[in-house]
Amino acid sequence: MCELYPAKGGLAEFWTPVEGDLELGGGHIASSGHLAARRHIAPCLRKAVFERDQTGTNDRACGLSGEQARRSHRHRLSILVIRTIPKQSNSEMSPRLSGKTRLFLAGNFLSMLGTGLVLPWMIIYLHEVRGIPLPVVGAMLAAAAATGLVAALVCGALMDWVGARLVLGMILLGQGVDAVALAWAHNTLTALPAVLFYGATWAPMFGGISTMLNGLTPEPALKPRVFAVNFAVQNMAIGIGAAVAGFVVRNDHPGTFQVLFLANGLSCLLFAVLLLALPNLRRTRVVNETRVGYRYVLSHRGLRLMILASLLLAFTGPGSFDAGLPAFASLAAHISDHAIALSFTIDAAVIVAIQLFVLRLVRRHRRSSALAAIGLIWAVSWALLGFAEVVDGPGWRTVILFAFVSLFAVGETIVAPTRNPLINSLADDRIRGRANSISGFSQSIALIVSPAVVTGLLAAHLGAVWIALLCLGCLGTVVIAARLRVTLTAEQDFAIQPPVAESAAGST
């Protein structure tokens, strides 16, 4: 039996009454946002209404006054509803994701499957296969990050203006074209424009995905779940793609890399086609409304802190893991390519296995506390990876690598139901696209800049410095989480608000 709370007039309920609720007998019954509950309460109401007609006649026959009869009826109706609502499962209390949301998640899975085929091998492909010097590769990726910054800011404003679906579709088409260009990049001259276009199409993608997911999931209670499921889907796809690529790529056969890039381009085009079946999420404009821009986003203290936290999470998380980890493990720790590919699969497997369990834990605590937990977990995991450079024996180094990815994955499962829902709770519809674009840009910029940072430090034999910087960044996230704890309102800091019990009106 779910815990129930008395409503006005004595009728039991387990939510806070809102405008639009069905009112009967002085109590508020399920609104449109509580469909699972209405399925169980509706039969109770029909039975209660029938018994009201019967008991009303009996009360009058017993000589009760009108007011006494109404009080007697409300008391019986309250007991009836309490006793007849069956115990509800977690799936019934948490409505399923809509068909359109599931279709979007399926398309994103296809796209990220292609991403997993090529993302871990970008530096290896440009440096070892195409023979471009390592410092030049780092400089090209840094230039791509600058291009991505401009593209993300433009796409964020376009999403608020013309809708997220249209912008995301154009981004995916651009990624398909860029994959073909990278497949046939043979030297610095041909690789540079492809890498720059890679930054321009990769950087704004995550902002478009977050804006689409938020628009396709209007129920606040479902937002942490949909972002968590999307994160698990993305990592599962990247893990599968990386595992497949690990068995396909051969450094002495450039054609194997070309096949992977072309497959990535095809996956992006398939996602773009699926987007045509989804609505173009575009808000209704108000006449003579105040125009807002990125200055308004940055003037919001909570959003400023979250943007900074997103930047640190991106650089200490996916940016360094997806791009920096393969370079560090291969060049500094001398771990085999197959073990590196398997580590991505282990990371994805851990995320898929525990994501929903972690989601239930996160929903019970403050989002600021969850943000601090991410920083602490990742700081410990990166420090653990640093030992892989100093221990003797390839076996122990591989064990440390696998232990690192397993612990790192735990922190990753907390990110999705914490960061994106919090950003969308702070931003209103006028700036939602811009806020998500800045947050998404931080993820994309980290995936582009991190390889440049790690390659420069590894070329100078400063792998330990790279690990130390990542640990400091993780601890910086903890500091920001402490500031957010005193900045956020209770509604913003908690994923689920406890029901507010109302005092019963009248005596029985």
Side-chain angles (χ1 to χ4, degrees):
M1 171 68 69
C2 298
E3 187 175 4
L4 302 177
Y5 298 86
K8 294 179 181 179
L11 183 60
E13 68 169 8
F14 51 93
W15 55 80
T16 304
V18 296
E19 184 179 357
D21 288 354
L22 172 63
E23 186 171 343
L24 179 64
H28 296 262
I29 311 300
S31 67
S32 57
H34 303 90
L35 299 180
R38 291 178 67 185
R39 288 198 300 269
H40 297 298
I41 292 182
C44 304
L45 292 180
R46 288 193 293 268
K47 183 176 180 182
V49 171
F50 173 77
E51 291 193 0
R52 178 192 61 187
D53 297 336
Q54 300 298 319
T55 55
T57 303
N58 294 336
D59 289 340
R60 286 190 295 271
C62 294
L64 295 178
S65 66
E67 180 61 27
Q68 291 174 328
R70 282 192 295 272
R71 291 181 180 178
S72 175
H73 159 66
R74 286 198 298 266
H75 178 69
R76 283 189 294 268
L77 180 58
S78 176
I79 295 176
L80 174 63
V81 173
I82 294 176
R83 291 180 177 176
T84 52
I85 295 179
K87 183 178 180 179
Q88 300 178 14
S89 64
N90 290 334
S91 61
E92 291 174 321
M93 291 300 294
S94 299
R96 295 179 60 190
L97 301 178
S98 67
K100 293 179 180 179
T101 302
R102 294 196 297 271
L103 179 62
F104 182 86
L105 292 174
N108 196 26
F109 175 84
L110 290 175
S111 176
M112 291 299 167
L113 186 65
T115 299
L117 294 174
V118 299
L119 183 62
W121 315 105
M122 182 66 73
I123 296 177
I124 296 174
Y125 171 70
L126 294 174
H127 174 56
E128 298 185 11
V129 178
R130 295 308 184 188
I132 302 175
L134 199 58
V136 176
V137 173
M140 287 195 300
L141 292 174
T147 306
L149 172 60
V150 177
L153 296 177
V154 172
C155 289
L158 286 175
M159 280 188 284
D160 288 332
W161 185 259
V162 301
R165 188 196 69 175
L166 180 59
V167 176
L168 182 59
M170 297 302 296
I171 292 171
L172 292 169
L173 292 176
Q175 288 182 352
V177 174
D178 183 64
V180 177
L182 284 169
W184 269 271
H186 296 280
N187 49 43
T188 303
L189 185 62
T190 55
L192 179 59
V195 172
L196 292 178
F197 197 54
Y198 166 74
T201 56
W202 180 262
M205 179 185 65
F206 290 104
I209 291 174
S210 296
T211 305
M212 283 292 296
L213 284 175
N214 184 79
L216 292 172
T217 313
E219 301 88 350
L222 278 181
K223 292 184 189 295
R225 192 213 285 190
V226 72
F227 282 108
V229 171
N230 178 67
F231 183 75
V233 166
Q234 287 185 163
N235 280 271
M236 180 171 62
I238 291 175
I240 294 173
V244 172
F247 290 100
V248 172
V249 296
R250 297 292 183 271
N251 288 4
D252 54 344
H253 289 84
T256 58
F257 288 89
Q258 289 179 315
V259 170
L260 296 180
F261 277 106
L262 294 177
N264 178 37
L266 178 61
S267 69
C268 294
L269 295 179
L270 290 176
F271 189 15
V273 171
L274 287 179
L275 285 179
L276 297 176
L278 299 175
N280 188 31
L281 303 173
R282 186 177 177 183
R283 70 183 182 88
T284 303
R285 295 186 175 276
V286 179
V287 179
N288 296 327
E289 70 176 5
T290 304
R291 296 186 63 181
V292 295
Y294 283 102
R295 179 180 297 181
Y296 182 82
V297 176
L298 297 176
S299 66
H300 192 294
R301 184 184 180 189
L303 282 175
R304 282 202 311 271
L305 290 173
M306 276 308 303
I307 289 170
L308 182 57
S310 296
L311 192 63
L312 289 177
L313 288 175
F315 272 96
T316 59
S320 297
F321 183 88
D322 294 335
L325 174 63
F328 178 84
S330 176
L331 301 176
H334 306 290
I335 299 174
S336 68
D337 290 344
H338 292 294
I340 295 172
L342 182 58
S343 69
F344 280 85
T345 304
I346 293 174
D347 173 75
V350 173
I351 289 173
V352 173
I354 69 173
Q355 179 67 83
L356 295 181
F357 171 73
V358 172
L359 174 61
R360 288 194 291 269
L361 293 179
V362 171
R363 294 175 66 186
R364 301 173 185 172
H365 298 85
R366 290 177 177 266
R367 287 168 172 160
S368 56
S369 300
L371 196 63
I374 298 168
L376 291 174
I377 292 173
W378 281 356
V380 174
S381 63
W382 284 117
L384 177 63
L385 179 65
F387 287 101
E389 188 180 7
V390 298
V391 299
D392 294 328
W396 281 111
R397 293 176 180 178
T398 303
V399 169
I400 291 176
L401 174 65
F402 291 165
F404 159 75
V405 296
S406 300
L407 181 60
F408 188 86
V410 176
E412 287 183 286
T413 58
I414 308 176
V415 174
T418 303
R419 180 188 56 202
N420 292 330
L422 184 51
I423 289 174
N424 282 279
S425 70
L426 290 168
D428 58 52
D429 289 337
R430 297 175 301 164
I431 59 171
R432 196 175 306 282
R434 292 176 175 87
N436 280 308
S437 289
I438 295 179
S439 175
F441 167 75
S442 66
Q443 302 173 57
S444 303
I445 202 72
L447 289 171
I448 297 173
V449 172
S450 290
V453 174
V454 69
T455 52
L457 291 175
L458 290 178
H461 304 286
L462 296 175
V465 174
W466 181 64
I467 294 293
L469 291 175
L470 291 174
C471 292
L472 289 176
C474 294
L475 296 179
T477 304
V478 178
V479 174
I480 294 175
R483 295 291 301 273
L484 279 170
R485 188 180 182 91
V486 299
T487 302
L488 300 174
T489 64
E491 182 180 4
Q492 294 165 344
D493 206 9
F494 285 94
I496 297 180
Q497 299 300 311
V500 180
E502 295 186 349
S503 301
S507 58
T508 57

